[in-house]
């Protein structure tokens, strides 16, 4: 989760500074936070609600409170993609860059 947040902040800062288009896909910060919350929920200490000196509950609280940060990062990413654009124009056009020519033409014409 922390790695995705740092990568998102770095990507957004670079795009903002350079006024350059962003990649169509940004790091999945909320998805990684949710995976961390799910993993912590599966721990015996959390399931048994054993609160005496449990660090796992502290990590659980931290992961839950990071939801606001991850939501804002995703909103900021979408806003910056709208403001500065997306590399390749859109996610579909970006993916078409890596396909065989006839397949990419078919996919791009299907979008319009």
């Amino acid at each position: 989760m922390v790695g995705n947040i740092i990568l998102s902040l770095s990507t957004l800062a670079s795009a903002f500074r350079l006024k350059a288009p962003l990649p169509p896909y940004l790091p999945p910060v909320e998805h990684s936070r949710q995976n961390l919350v799910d993993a912590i929920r599966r721990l015996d200490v959390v399931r048994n609600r054993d609160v005496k000196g449990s660090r796992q509950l502290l990590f659980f609280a931290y992961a839950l409170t990071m939801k606001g940060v991850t939501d804002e990062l995703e909103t900021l990413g979408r806003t910056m993609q709208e403001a500065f654009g997306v590399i390749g124009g859109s996610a579909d056009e970006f993916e078409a860059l890596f396909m065989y020519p006839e397949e990419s033409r078919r996919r791009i014409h299907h979008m319009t």
Side-chain angles (χ1 to χ4, degrees):
M1 175 182 77
V2 174
N4 281 337
I5 290 173
I6 291 170
L7 182 58
S8 288
L9 288 171
S10 176
T11 303
L12 295 176
S14 295
F16 192 75
R17 183 176 202 138
L18 299 171
K19 312 282 189 280
L22 281 96
Y25 304 108
L26 296 172
V29 291
E30 176 55 25
H31 182 71
S32 62
R33 186 199 69 83
Q34 191 57 51
N35 285 344
L36 178 61
V37 169
D38 292 343
I40 294 172
R41 279 188 176 144
R42 288 192 299 270
L43 294 173
D44 290 334
V45 171
V46 175
R47 280 191 283 151
N48 297 337
R49 299 184 187 266
D50 184 17
V51 294
K52 296 179 182 173
S54 172
R55 284 189 181 171
Q56 287 84 0
L57 289 178
L58 179 62
F59 294 138
F60 186 59
Y62 166 74
L64 288 177
T65 58
M66 288 299 290
K67 178 159 180 51
V69 173
T70 60
D71 287 346
E72 288 302 318
L73 265 176
E74 289 184 347
T75 300
L76 183 60
R78 284 190 301 275
T79 302
M80 288 183 67
Q81 283 177 329
E82 290 172 10
F84 299 128
V86 175
I87 297 171
S90 71
D92 287 331
E93 290 176 19
F94 179 79
E95 288 181 11
L97 295 172
F98 302 98
M99 295 178 185
Y100 290 110
E102 62 276 354
E103 188 179 342
S104 66
R105 265 185 258 122
R106 209 173 326 121
R107 187 170 186 161
I108 291 173
H109 291 296
H110 175 40
M111 293 181 334
T112 56

